[in-house]
Amino acid sequence: MRYHKIANETIRRLPIYLRGMLFLSEQNRKTISSQNLADIVGINSWQIRKDFSYFGDFGKPGVGYIVEKLIRHIKKILKLDKEHKTALIGVGNLGRALLAYPGFGPYGFNIVAAFDNDPAKIGKKIENINVEDVSRLPALSKRKVDLAIIAVPRDAAQEVADVLVEAGVKGILKFSPHHIEVPKKIKVISIDIATDLARLPYYMSA
Amino acid sequence: MRYHKIANETIRRLPIYLRGMLFLSEQNRKTISSQNLADIVGINSWQIRKDFSYFGDFGKPGVGYIVEKLIRHIKKILKLDKEHKTALIGVGNLGRALLAYPGFGPYGFNIVAAFDNDPAKIGKKIENINVEDVSRLPALSKRKVDLAIIAVPRDAAQEVADVLVEAGVKGILKFSPHHIEVPKKIKVISIDIATDLARLPYYMSA
């Protein structure tokens, strides 16, 4: 089954729905109405119904959405129905925080390798991951890693990305808003904490 | 001048436009077309024009948007036209990364205080910020801090949030998807790295 032309904004919301459904699944909930899902994820129920209409309707009248079925479907659409071996480049403060972060597992992300250029870190074990010399990055191509998280200083990001692309990585997550050049087939997502923080004051009472 | 009923999705995009405009300003660009802005920020030009139409049109036919004027307007709408004193709670790996992060300045966020409960950290200076005992959090109310970033372990987040609200903080940024209870007038934004990462595989070629 293939899904075509799903809007980027819908794809952005699907992981949020998935997170809500995983939460419900943990609580052994079997079904949920779009209104209840809306309350949990903080997105309007009409928006949820519209998003789901892109790829068929998962709801049953009077019953709502079936939690496990919806989880399976969303994971399939997002290609999260298999493990994604992930490499982390840069084991500074941010990198260490990421290695310790327990939230990747439910989505099938498995950080299997970590790299740094600091001799003091290379060879150390952090959160059960052996820190390797960044000069060994090209060998990633033999290890079926398709995702990478770049947590290096801004000026090193482009160079690291070049090597990652060469090593066969297909998706990159980075933490600086600065543009990096990659071939078109490589997807890059940036998390920019300042941009998220920047919408907070709008909602704050005077 | 007040702006009413701007959709949350528009508010989410405004900081992205602002970031693009600040980038253009650094390069001494005076004007930009919606199409060029679209290319820079990765959002459709029709979406940009629609978003801007909520609060009046900043564009001039044949000229485009005037960069400095647009920056001023967006900052005003987002209440970023004044400094926001910000407190950081939790100086672990993530907290240290945030203290070292240079990206907050352009939006007027100024981290003026950091707190932890670890005696080994209290009293230390990290990135020019003195780490204070978290038991002193209630005294924040005297320091005109209106924003807080919570970077503590998940189980401590609710307790910290309670004290922050009591101390007069009006907006909270946190890094775990887990719900915290706060009064309605307090705005909470969560950054969940896994949810962002979760939309990456969809775009990756097989």
Side-chain angles (χ1 to χ4, degrees):
Chain A
M1 186 170 181
R2 295 181 62 188
Y3 307 95
H4 290 291
K5 289 186 191 165
I6 300 177
N8 286 336
E9 287 295 292
T10 297
I11 294 299
R12 193 184 60 77
R13 285 185 291 264
L14 286 184
I16 299 171
Y17 303 146
L18 178 57
R19 188 178 68 203
M21 304 306 282
L22 289 170
F23 171 76
L24 290 164
S25 175
E26 274 174 36
Q27 303 192 313
N28 285 315
R29 286 284 298 274
K30 302 300 177 202
T31 59
I32 181 115
S33 68
S34 57
Q35 186 53 57
N36 283 348
L37 183 57
D39 293 340
I40 288 170
V41 300
I43 294 171
N44 282 329
S45 59
W46 66 260
Q47 181 73 71
I48 293 176
R49 288 191 296 270
K50 191 178 166 217
D51 284 337
F52 288 172
S53 74
Y54 271 103
F55 34 83
D57 193 359
F58 302 137
K60 281 189 178 180
V63 176
Y65 299 106
I66 297 159
V67 173
E68 295 304 326
K69 195 174 166 187
L70 193 56
I71 288 174
R72 267 201 317 278
H73 268 272
I74 297 181
K75 280 193 171 179
K76 193 169 180 183
I77 293 164
L78 293 175
K79 299 182 187 167
L80 298 175
D81 52 351
K82 60 166 196 120
E83 185 191 76
H84 290 279
K85 287 187 180 166
T86 306
L88 171 73
I89 300 89
V91 191
N93 289 316
L94 177 60
R96 281 164 192 261
L98 291 166
L99 285 176
Y101 181 60
F104 292 132
Y107 300 98
F109 301 120
N110 187 7
I111 299 183
V112 298
F115 297 86
D116 207 290
N117 66 355
D118 180 354
K121 287 174 190 158
I122 295 163
K124 291 258 165 67
K125 247 190 155 70
I126 299 178
E127 304 285 336
N128 270 326
I129 302 283
N130 188 38
V131 179
E132 302 174 55
D133 191 326
V134 75
S135 69
R136 292 192 50 201
L137 259 189
L140 262 193
S141 57
K142 290 176 193 134
R143 290 157 71 179
K144 297 191 177 175
V145 166
D146 64 351
L147 258 169
I149 303 176
I150 299 183
V152 302
R154 179 201 300 184
D155 293 341
Q158 180 66 58
E159 194 184 342
V160 166
D162 292 345
V163 181
L164 287 169
V165 169
E166 200 61 39
V169 162
K170 303 207 171 70
I172 292 172
L173 179 74
K174 65 185 181 72
F175 288 88
S176 106
H178 297 83
H179 184 70
I180 56 171
E181 290 286 339
V182 294
K184 258 195 178 156
K185 60 175 183 173
I186 309 297
K187 177 70 178 178
V188 177
I189 283 180
S190 300
I191 293 185
D192 178 19
I193 290 162
T195 310
D196 281 304
L197 193 57
R199 67 197 152 93
L200 198 43
Y202 174 80
Y203 296 101
M204 283 160 35
S205 52
Chain B
M1 187 172 183
R2 295 180 63 187
Y3 306 94
H4 290 291
K5 289 186 191 166
I6 300 177
N8 287 337
E9 287 295 291
T10 297
I11 294 298
R12 193 183 61 77
R13 285 185 291 263
L14 286 184
I16 299 170
Y17 303 145
L18 178 57
R19 186 178 69 202
M21 302 307 280
L22 289 169
F23 171 76
L24 289 164
S25 175
E26 274 173 35
Q27 302 192 314
N28 285 315
R29 288 283 298 273
K30 302 300 178 203
T31 59
I32 181 115
S33 69
S34 57
Q35 187 52 57
N36 282 348
L37 182 57
D39 292 339
I40 288 169
V41 299
I43 294 171
N44 282 330
S45 59
W46 66 262
Q47 181 73 71
I48 293 175
R49 288 191 295 271
K50 191 178 167 218
D51 283 336
F52 288 171
S53 74
Y54 272 101
F55 34 81
D57 194 358
F58 303 138
K60 281 189 179 179
V63 176
Y65 299 105
I66 297 158
V67 174
E68 296 304 326
K69 194 173 166 187
L70 191 56
I71 288 174
R72 268 202 315 279
H73 268 271
I74 297 181
K75 280 193 170 180
K76 193 168 182 186
I77 293 163
L78 293 175
K79 298 183 189 167
L80 298 175
D81 51 351
K82 61 165 194 120
E83 185 191 75
H84 289 279
K85 288 188 180 167
T86 305
L88 171 73
I89 300 89
V91 191
N93 289 315
L94 176 60
R96 282 163 192 260
L98 291 167
L99 286 176
Y101 181 61
F104 293 132
Y107 300 98
F109 300 119
N110 186 7
I111 299 183
V112 297
F115 297 86
D116 207 289
N117 66 354
D118 181 353
K121 287 173 189 159
I122 295 164
K124 292 260 165 66
K125 249 192 153 71
I126 298 177
E127 303 285 337
N128 269 327
I129 302 283
N130 189 38
V131 179
E132 302 174 54
D133 190 328
V134 75
S135 70
R136 291 193 51 202
L137 257 190
L140 262 193
S141 58
K142 290 176 193 132
R143 290 157 72 179
K144 297 191 177 174
V145 166
D146 65 352
L147 258 171
I149 303 175
I150 299 183
V152 301
R154 179 201 299 182
D155 293 342
Q158 180 66 58
E159 195 185 343
V160 165
D162 292 345
V163 181
L164 287 169
V165 169
E166 200 62 38
V169 161
K170 302 207 173 66
I172 293 173
L173 179 75
K174 67 185 181 70
F175 288 88
S176 106
H178 297 82
H179 184 71
I180 55 172
E181 290 286 338
V182 294
K184 259 197 177 157
K185 61 175 183 175
I186 309 296
K187 177 71 177 176
V188 178
I189 283 180
S190 300
I191 294 185
D192 179 19
I193 290 161
T195 310
D196 281 304
L197 193 56
R199 67 197 152 93
L200 198 42
Y202 174 81
Y203 297 101
M204 283 159 35
S205 53

